[in-house]
Amino acid sequence: MLNPGINHIEFWVSVLEKSLTFYSGLFEIISWKEQNKNGFRTGSTEIFFKEANISVNDTIGTRYICFQAVELSIVDQV
């Protein structure tokens, strides 16, 4: 059974290894588990990190949030 919530979030960072070092320590403290080299998980929520070569007009940070609906009809309604 699906639960409503956030399925996954993608963050763009300027230096991947530096960010992973920081977030690995943080997520260990708050009991998130490493999912793969660039991602972490708690329950059904995942966070992924991607290094981005940004231009002057771009920013780093959250690129997208994938919400999880309990039924397709809710997605259609949105």
Side-chain angles (χ1 to χ4, degrees):
M1 180 173 146
L2 293 176
N3 294 313
I6 295 174
N7 182 278
H8 63 276
I9 301 169
E10 182 179 280
F11 281 95
W12 284 11
V13 297
S14 57
V15 182
L16 183 60
E17 290 306 316
K18 183 176 179 181
S19 297
L20 290 175
T21 299
F22 172 79
Y23 283 104
S24 293
L26 169 68
F27 290 142
E28 183 177 339
I29 292 168
I30 62 173
S31 299
W32 283 56
K33 305 295 181 203
E34 186 174 339
Q35 168 135 346
N36 56 43
K37 182 182 176 199
N38 299 347
F40 301 86
R41 169 185 213 85
T42 186
S44 62
T45 304
E46 302 170 355
I47 296 179
F48 297 96
F49 295 88
K50 179 179 179 182
E51 188 167 288
N53 295 321
I54 60 171
S55 70
V56 174
N57 296 324
D58 289 332
T59 60
I60 57 175
T62 306
R63 278 297 155 199
Y64 68 82
I65 300 173
C66 177
F67 294 97
Q68 184 165 289
V70 296
E71 298 176 1
L72 183 56
S73 63
I74 294 170
V75 176
D76 293 339
Q77 185 179 0
V78 171

